Amino acid sequence: VFERRLIEKFIAENGVDPMNGQPLSEEQLIDIKVSHPIRPKAASATSIPAILKSLQDEWDAVMLHSFTLRQQLQTTRQELSHALYQHDAACRVIARLTKEVTAAREALATLKPQAGLVAPQAMPASQPATGVSGGEPMEVSEQVGMTPEIIQKLQDKATVLTTERKKRGKTVPEELVRAEDLSKYRQVASHAGLHSASVPGILCMDLCPSDTNKVLTGGADKNVVVFDKKEEQIIATLKGHTKKVTSVIYHPSQSVVFSASPDSTIRVWSVTGGNCVQVVRAHEASVTGLSLHATGDYLLSSSEDQYWAFSDIQTGRVLTKVTDEAAGVALTCAQFHPDGLIFGTGTADSQIKIWDLKERTNVANFPGHSGPVTSIAFSENGYYLATGAQDSSVKLWDLRKLKNFKTIALDNNYEVKSLVFDQSGTYLAVGGSDIRVYICKQWSEVLNFSDHSGLVTGVAFGDNAQFLSSAGMDRSLKFYSL
């Protein structure tokens, strides 16, 4: 292959083939037609530095292409991961909805036969409604459900309470005992004869909100005792539980008290009549916590059977029963928020769960303790929650930010059994290995009593913290004031 100009010149001069010396004429040449003539590289590009530069450029181009491909791969991976997460979330939602539909169908199936109880034989055999011997009231165990009327009643009460609290929260009551006076409190009375000496121990206590002279105690001797602080005498001894009494509540406006026990029952007692007026069988295991709703008509209870229940105290009927199936652990305590629309439960695996009563759903969880939760208390201002557990600490949670903002570390092996804020939310009392009172916001200790010879199982403030009362395993009920 030769360049045309050069080969023609050679033939004109020599008349032979330059390769083999044979005679050759221009007619014997064959044209080679190239569609795109490749231009030769410039002379400057044939130098070694130029070749190295062109190789470098090609290498850079390959690397850039490889990097672009990697980026595209990373983006595709992220999109795939996101799609998988969305699919997983959708599966969970579908599973939850399926579960709810199944539960609703079961509830409907349960309600249908109850709705048409015309003939006595139509009554489900699993729900006895016969009178109990000894003149006790009927025991009703079926769930009635949260009717719109009940939910509206709860909502109305919460609206009123929230408004009152916001007004009250701006000022501390003038009658409230100041911290410097509180720190001078001393034991002024001790009563040891309320409960049986053969099975010693007061396990719980409460003061009547409308008359703090009336003290309610529950003991290891299965009895519930109402005691008058002023008269220093027992008003009533209520007998009926078959096991020890672990939770007691005094009704704020009626002469009625409530008690709960490991015998899996909740009892409603008339103080004036001295008898049991209702037995609420909401649980199948030990009842561990009891709290009265602000309306005074409904009780919240928690149990080792992993359920919390909401019951009507007038009828003794269980309105709703809920458990967190995912957790599957026993509940150790329960307490209503001051407004009554949410409440907290403590669990045996050291969690605090916040529930929405109207929706009956778990709306928040507070992990952080390292032992079973023994006591929880909401502050009257509605913003703080105090919790105690078997890890010798008291934690304070902000319900607005849903976080732990203070941990009060107690001595090693300190057992927290009772927590209570005073009515104004200014002081927090801790009962356990001894009694301690902290002033809120600063969280500094203003009082410490170790007069009980056993564990302190209950503490309570009188009106405006005019006095402090405590009960313990040494069977004594003590009062402290100036």
Side-chain angles (χ1 to χ4, degrees):
V1 177
F2 296 94
E3 194 176 328
R4 187 178 188 105
R5 181 175 56 79
L6 296 174
I7 192 72
E8 283 178 351
K9 187 179 177 185
F10 187 85
I11 291 170
E13 287 175 2
N14 304 306
V16 293
D17 185 330
M19 299 302 292
N20 55 20
Q22 298 293 322
L24 185 70
S25 67
E26 285 187 21
E27 288 80 33
Q28 287 174 291
L29 292 175
I30 299 166
D31 285 350
I32 297 175
K33 292 184 179 177
V34 183
S35 55
H36 298 291
I38 299 166
R39 295 191 176 190
K41 288 188 179 180
S44 62
T46 56
S47 66
I48 289 173
I51 291 168
L52 285 174
K53 183 180 181 304
S54 67
L55 285 172
Q56 182 70 49
D57 289 347
E58 282 182 21
W59 171 259
D60 288 350
V62 170
M63 285 298 101
L64 189 62
H65 183 60
S66 170
F67 175 69
T68 312
L69 286 176
R70 273 191 173 174
Q71 271 191 322
Q72 286 173 348
L73 175 65
Q74 187 65 26
T75 311
T76 312
R77 272 187 174 165
Q78 283 179 337
E79 286 173 359
L80 178 63
S81 171
H82 186 63
L84 286 171
Y85 274 127
Q86 281 185 322
H87 176 263
D88 189 42
C91 287
R92 284 169 189 266
V93 170
I94 291 164
R96 183 169 60 78
L97 290 173
T98 309
K99 193 190 275 182
E100 284 177 7
V101 167
T102 312
R105 280 185 180 150
E106 283 177 3
L108 192 63
T110 315
L111 285 171
K112 271 181 184 169
Q114 289 177 7
L117 286 183
V118 183
Q121 63 267 30
M123 182 173 287
S126 62
Q127 294 166 351
T130 51
V132 181
S133 60
E136 286 203 349
M138 284 191 348
E139 295 173 0
V140 188
S141 60
E142 67 260 45
Q143 291 182 38
V144 178
M146 301 276 282
T147 61
E149 292 81 14
I150 293 172
I151 290 174
Q152 189 57 48
K153 190 173 173 184
L154 301 177
Q155 184 63 59
D156 293 348
K157 185 68 175 176
T159 310
V160 172
L161 289 171
T162 308
T163 315
E164 284 178 5
R165 197 180 69 227
K166 282 181 179 165
K167 281 184 197 164
R168 210 172 46 234
K170 291 172 184 156
T171 54
V172 176
E174 287 179 7
E175 307 81 32
L176 185 74
V177 173
R178 300 280 171 262
E180 51 267 32
D181 294 331
L182 189 71
S183 62
K184 298 173 188 164
Y185 275 18
R186 294 289 171 268
Q187 182 182 317
V188 291
S190 179
H191 305 280
L194 277 67
H195 289 269
S196 163
S198 58
V199 191
I202 298 175
L203 303 177
C204 48
M205 70 165 291
D206 191 28
L207 297 181
C208 175
S210 55
D211 177 6
T212 49
N213 281 318
K214 289 178 182 164
V215 186
L216 177 65
T217 60
D221 61 357
K222 310 175 193 171
N223 293 347
V224 178
V225 172
V226 184
F227 179 80
D228 191 313
K229 165 180 173 279
K230 204 171 180 182
E231 301 292 333
E232 298 195 349
Q233 63 183 29
I234 292 170
I235 300 170
T237 300
L238 310 165
K239 301 185 177 188
H241 279 293
T242 55
K243 290 185 180 175
K244 61 189 179 182
V245 180
T246 51
S247 307
V248 288
I249 298 176
Y250 214 119
H251 196 287
S253 55
Q254 300 171 22
S255 186
V256 170
V257 298
F258 311 94
S259 62
S261 162
D263 66 12
S264 76
T265 65
I266 300 159
R267 289 176 180 260
V268 184
W269 310 84
S270 162
V271 178
T272 46
N275 62 323
C276 176
V277 291
Q278 277 301 349
V279 179
V280 182
R281 291 191 179 274
H283 299 285
E284 292 164 8
S286 295
V287 183
T288 53
L290 209 54
S291 184
L292 183 65
H293 190 267
T295 53
D297 296 333
Y298 306 104
L299 266 182
L300 169 72
S301 54
S302 62
S303 166
E304 285 179 9
D305 66 6
Q306 304 175 13
Y307 279 82
W308 60 260
F310 184 67
S311 313
D312 185 330
I313 64 168
Q314 302 300 326
T315 60
R317 286 173 182 267
V318 180
L319 299 177
T320 187
K321 245 179 103 167
V322 178
T323 183
D324 182 354
E325 289 174 357
V329 288
L331 301 181
T332 53
C333 49
Q335 187 69 43
F336 269 119
H337 183 269
D339 290 350
L341 286 184
I342 61 167
F343 61 89
T345 58
T347 68
D349 67 351
S350 66
Q351 293 259 347
I352 294 99
K353 294 182 177 293
I354 306 296
W355 299 80
D356 180 324
L357 178 58
K358 291 195 296 181
E359 300 296 326
R360 302 182 283 295
T361 52
N362 178 205
V363 290
N365 290 318
F366 293 145
H369 280 294
S370 56
V373 179
T374 53
S375 181
I376 63 175
F378 287 93
S379 170
E380 182 51 31
N381 67 14
Y383 301 141
Y384 299 147
L385 169 67
T387 60
Q390 287 179 19
D391 56 7
S392 305
S393 74
V394 173
K395 287 186 181 287
L396 292 135
W397 310 84
D398 189 317
L399 296 173
R400 292 162 295 184
K401 297 174 185 169
L402 298 178
K403 65 175 188 178
N404 171 221
F405 66 90
K406 175 76 180 172
T407 299
I408 301 172
L410 303 163
D411 319 340
N412 280 346
N413 303 324
Y414 188 102
E415 291 189 53
V416 181
K417 290 292 182 189
S418 174
L419 290 172
V420 63
F421 285 94
D422 77 301
Q423 185 60 25
S424 68
T426 311
Y427 303 115
L428 170 67
V430 180
S433 304
D434 58 16
I435 302 164
R436 300 176 184 208
V437 178
Y438 296 88
I439 183 161
C440 298
K441 292 188 179 160
Q442 291 91 337
W443 306 110
S444 53
E445 187 176 303
V446 288
L447 261 186
N448 190 322
F449 292 123
S450 48
D451 300 336
H452 282 279
S453 58
L455 270 179
V456 179
T457 51
V459 282
F461 285 101
D463 276 336
N464 295 310
Q466 299 286 340
F467 70 87
L468 183 69
S469 59
S470 66
M473 292 305 289
D474 58 359
R475 215 167 49 90
S476 71
L477 175 66
K478 296 183 187 291
F479 298 95
Y480 309 85
S481 68
L482 281 171

